[in-house]
Amino acid sequence: LRLWARPGSVKKTERAFPGVTVTDDPCAAADGADVVVFCCPVSGMEPLARLMAPVVSDSAIVTDAGSVKAGVVSALESVFGSRFVGAHPMAGSEQCGVEAAEADLY
Protein backbone atom coordinates (compact mmCIF):
# COMPACT_ATOMS: atom_id res chain seq x y z
CA LEU A 1 0.00 0.00 0.00
CA ARG A 2 1.34 3.39 -1.01
CA LEU A 3 -0.24 6.74 -0.23
CA TRP A 4 0.33 10.12 -1.77
CA ALA A 5 0.23 13.11 0.55
CA ARG A 6 0.88 16.77 -0.04
CA PRO A 7 4.53 17.62 0.67
CA GLY A 8 3.74 19.25 4.03
CA SER A 9 1.65 16.27 5.19
CA VAL A 10 3.95 13.29 4.53
CA LYS A 11 5.30 12.93 8.09
CA LYS A 12 1.86 13.42 9.65
CA THR A 13 0.38 10.81 7.29
CA GLU A 14 3.19 8.37 8.09
CA ARG A 15 2.38 8.72 11.80
CA ALA A 16 -1.33 8.14 11.15
CA PHE A 17 -0.70 5.05 8.98
CA PRO A 18 2.31 3.24 10.47
CA GLY A 19 3.93 0.75 8.15
CA VAL A 20 2.43 2.34 5.03
CA THR A 21 4.70 3.90 2.41
CA VAL A 22 3.86 7.60 2.03
CA THR A 23 5.26 9.78 -0.73
CA ASP A 24 4.75 13.33 -1.93
CA ASP A 25 5.11 12.13 -5.54
CA PRO A 26 1.69 11.09 -6.89
CA CYS A 27 3.26 9.18 -9.78
CA ALA A 28 5.42 7.14 -7.40
CA ALA A 29 2.31 6.29 -5.38
CA ALA A 30 0.41 5.08 -8.47
CA ASP A 31 3.20 3.38 -10.40
CA GLY A 32 2.49 -0.35 -10.61
CA ALA A 33 -0.64 -0.19 -8.44
CA ASP A 34 -3.51 -2.60 -9.06
CA VAL A 35 -6.03 -0.09 -7.65
CA VAL A 36 -5.76 3.71 -7.62
CA VAL A 37 -8.19 5.68 -5.43
CA PHE A 38 -8.53 9.44 -5.81
CA CYS A 39 -9.22 10.91 -2.36
CA CYS A 40 -8.68 14.59 -2.88
CA PRO A 41 -10.82 17.66 -3.57
CA VAL A 42 -12.96 17.08 -6.66
CA SER A 43 -11.45 20.11 -8.40
CA GLY A 44 -8.00 18.53 -8.21
CA MET A 45 -8.90 15.09 -9.51
CA GLU A 46 -8.62 15.66 -13.25
CA PRO A 47 -5.26 17.50 -13.16
CA LEU A 48 -3.89 14.84 -10.81
CA ALA A 49 -5.28 12.07 -13.04
CA ARG A 50 -3.63 13.54 -16.14
CA LEU A 51 -0.32 13.80 -14.29
CA MET A 52 -0.53 10.18 -13.07
CA ALA A 53 -2.03 8.58 -16.20
CA PRO A 54 1.30 7.67 -17.84
CA VAL A 55 2.29 5.47 -14.87
CA VAL A 56 -1.10 3.92 -14.09
CA SER A 57 -1.16 0.36 -15.39
CA ASP A 58 -3.56 -0.50 -18.21
CA SER A 59 -4.98 -3.21 -15.93
CA ALA A 60 -5.39 -0.98 -12.87
CA ILE A 61 -8.83 -0.15 -11.53
CA VAL A 62 -9.26 3.55 -10.83
CA THR A 63 -11.93 4.89 -8.48
CA ASP A 64 -12.64 7.91 -6.30
CA ALA A 65 -14.04 9.10 -3.00
CA GLY A 66 -15.36 12.38 -4.37
CA SER A 67 -18.37 14.14 -2.94
CA VAL A 68 -20.17 14.38 -6.30
CA LYS A 69 -20.29 12.10 -9.32
CA ALA A 70 -21.25 13.61 -12.69
CA GLY A 71 -18.22 15.86 -13.10
CA VAL A 72 -15.82 13.34 -11.59
CA VAL A 73 -17.05 10.51 -13.82
CA SER A 74 -16.82 12.69 -16.91
CA ALA A 75 -13.33 13.94 -16.05
CA LEU A 76 -11.79 10.65 -14.95
CA GLU A 77 -13.40 8.56 -17.70
CA SER A 78 -11.84 10.98 -20.20
CA VAL A 79 -8.44 10.06 -18.74
CA PHE A 80 -8.84 6.38 -17.79
CA GLY A 81 -11.77 5.17 -19.92
CA SER A 82 -13.57 2.09 -18.68
CA ARG A 83 -10.89 1.48 -16.02
CA PHE A 84 -12.53 4.24 -14.00
CA VAL A 85 -15.35 3.11 -11.70
CA GLY A 86 -17.05 5.89 -9.76
CA ALA A 87 -17.49 5.01 -6.09
CA HIS A 88 -20.11 5.94 -3.56
CA PRO A 89 -19.33 9.42 -2.27
CA MET A 90 -20.67 9.05 1.28
CA ALA A 91 -18.00 8.01 3.76
CA GLY A 92 -16.45 9.55 6.83
CA SER A 93 -17.69 12.58 8.69
CA GLU A 94 -17.75 16.34 8.56
CA GLN A 95 -14.11 16.36 9.70
CA CYS A 96 -11.20 16.37 7.28
CA GLY A 97 -7.54 15.58 7.15
CA VAL A 98 -5.53 12.60 8.26
CA GLU A 99 -6.37 13.38 11.91
CA ALA A 100 -10.01 12.46 11.17
CA ALA A 101 -9.15 9.01 9.75
CA GLU A 102 -11.04 6.09 11.28
CA ALA A 103 -9.39 2.66 11.15
CA ASP A 104 -12.76 0.87 11.49
CA LEU A 105 -14.76 3.01 9.03
CA TYR A 106 -15.47 0.03 6.79
Side-chain angles (χ1 to χ4, degrees):
L1 179 64
R2 291 184 307 267
L3 297 176
W4 167 72
R6 291 174 287 198
S9 300
V10 170
K11 292 295 182 194
K12 186 174 12 174
T13 305
E14 287 174 333
R15 286 191 301 273
F17 298 97
V20 173
T21 301
V22 181
T23 177
D24 62 1
D25 179 352
C27 292
D31 191 17
D34 295 321
V35 177
V36 176
V37 182
F38 283 82
C39 301
C40 62
V42 170
S43 62
M45 288 187 186
E46 184 174 10
L48 191 57
R50 292 196 182 284
L51 175 70
M52 295 166 62
V55 301
V56 173
S57 166
D58 289 341
S59 62
I61 297 170
V62 181
T63 191
D64 75 293
S67 59
V68 295
K69 284 286 120 348
V72 171
V73 169
S74 176
L76 272 64
E77 279 184 346
S78 75
V79 177
F80 297 111
S82 63
R83 292 182 293 156
F84 176 72
V85 179
H88 195 285
M90 302 304 290
S93 69
E94 74 284 358
Q95 299 177 12
C96 66
V98 71
E99 298 85 9
E102 296 179 37
D104 62 351
L105 179 62
Y106 295 103

